[in-house]
Amino acid sequence: MSEETGDFAGRVVLVTGGGSGIGRAIAEAFLAEGARVAVCGRREEPLHALVEPHGERALALRCDVSAPGEPAAAVAATLARFGALDVLVNNAGTFALGPLEETDDETLTRIFAVNVLGLLAACRAATPHLAARQGAIVNVGSVVSQQVIGGSVAYAGSKAAVDQITRCLAAELGPRGVRVNCVAPGNTETPMAEPLLADPQARAATEARTALGRIGQPADIAPAVLYLARDPWVTGQVLQSSGGLIL
Ligand SMILES: NC(=O)c1ccc[n+]([C@@H]2O[C@H](COP(=O)([O-])OP(=O)(O)OC[C@H]3O[C@@H](n4cnc5c(N)ncnc54)[C@H](OP(=O)(O)O)[C@@H]3O)[C@@H](O)[C@H]2O)c1
């Protein structure tokens, strides 16, 4: 596929947390389908490494989605460069494991500020521009919103909020022609999941629980995101992309 012939030729996509892991694979998949893509995150080097081969078609934006005003600034910079916004992918996320009693205020605040408040702020800033193009939001949730996994109360709570935000916002923005969906990955081999997958026994247990018998790779998640960005009649849905981790 190319800039002229891909499914997303002429479309503009903003991927938060696009410098690594799942976000990077999502950005690369949109670029492969002809989109113009802005990626944002706090560290500039991985963002620049991603956009560099794509010239004018890709844009790196430094942005902390948990900082007031920064998601809106990333949306504005995308508009300034590309003139429109068709798809917002809220992928930036942060993670911590541990019982609630051992989770300090700083960790609780970080998890909800990034995974929930940053996502809401990005959606709010993008809304008028997505409405102008009959565009779409794809949130990145997690299977932990649908299954109780020990020690994940704060993270799982934040991802359950993402599921319900997806449904509520789909209802709110549907009349304006904007679709809102969520992809819920299972365990995926990224820097975030490294501590979970480093233990060979835990890794083998996850593989055994997964219908397709292996740990997901970032590129496994991207097709579900592109599908939900593309489909004109699906909205308010949470789509598990996990190789059948929860059946
Ligand atoms: N890996 C899994 O097993 C798994 C499973 C289910 C769901 N997920 C979800 O998938 C998404 C991507 O995670 P990943 O696994 O690909 O992990 P990752 O490689 O650590 O990616 C997370 C990305 O989010 C960015 N980010 C973190 N805090 C940010 C902030 N305050 N502002 C802007 N960007 C921020 C990071 O960039 P900077 O550090 O440069 O800001 C990084 O690029 C997350 O929402 C995660 O919850 C992952």
Side-chain angles (χ1 to χ4, degrees), residues 74-99:
V75 169
T78 305
L79 264 289
R81 169 70 169 266
F82 296 127
L85 182 63
D86 295 281
V87 180
L88 168 66
V89 181
N90 283 305
N91 164 81
T94 188
F95 174 76
L97 261 188

Side-chain angles (χ1 to χ4, degrees), residues 118-136:
L119 176 148
L120 285 168
C123 290
R124 183 178 59 199
T127 289
H129 311 291
L130 295 173
R133 302 273 285 194
Q134 306 288 279

Side-chain angles (χ1 to χ4, degrees), residues 8-59:
F8 288 90
R11 303 294 170 89
V12 178
V13 181
L14 170 60
V15 182
T16 70
S20 65
I22 293 169
R24 185 184 180 100
I26 292 168
E28 284 172 339
F30 275 113
L31 284 162
E33 288 291 348
R36 288 171 286 166
V37 176
V39 284
C40 71
R42 292 165 304 172
R43 291 164 299 149
E44 292 190 88
E45 320 81 75
L47 299 170
H48 287 301
L50 170 64
V51 305
E52 203 253 334
H54 299 281
E56 291 298 304
R57 215 151 60 81
L59 173 66

Side-chain angles (χ1 to χ4, degrees), residues 72-245:
V75 169
T78 305
L79 264 289
R81 169 70 169 266
F82 296 127
L85 182 63
D86 295 281
V87 180
L88 168 66
V89 181
N90 283 305
N91 164 81
T94 188
F95 174 76
L97 261 188
L100 184 58
E101 277 184 293
E102 294 168 20
T103 308
D104 60 21
D105 283 348
E106 188 275 324
T107 304
L108 291 178
T109 301
R110 170 173 56 85
I111 288 177
F112 281 83
V114 176
N115 297 359
V116 180
L117 300 179
L119 176 148
L120 285 168
C123 290
R124 183 178 59 199
T127 289
H129 311 291
L130 295 173
R133 302 273 285 194
Q134 306 288 279
I137 295 170
V138 183
N139 296 321
V140 177
S142 169
V143 293
V144 299
S145 71
Q146 297 159 58
Q147 188 182 52
V148 175
I149 295 171
S152 70
V153 60
Y155 178 73
S158 76
K159 291 300 187 177
V162 171
D163 289 5
Q164 188 64 349
I165 287 165
T166 298
R167 289 184 282 266
C168 293
L169 207 52
E172 194 170 302
L173 300 184
R176 295 168 70 182
V178 178
R179 293 163 294 105
V180 186
N181 290 289
C182 176
V183 169
N187 292 55
T188 309
E189 196 124 28
T190 70
M192 183 185 286
E194 219 172 276
L196 296 175
L197 298 173
D199 170 21
Q201 273 187 323
R203 188 185 178 93
T206 301
E207 286 169 347
R209 288 206 325 271
T210 303
L212 293 178
R214 65 175 176 83
I215 304 296
Q217 296 300 312
D220 291 321
I221 312 302
V225 174
L226 269 68
Y227 160 67
L228 290 172
R230 185 193 290 124
D231 190 290
W233 194 233
V234 175
T235 195
Q237 303 304 306
V238 178
L239 175 60
Q240 195 190 138
S241 175
S242 71
L245 184 60

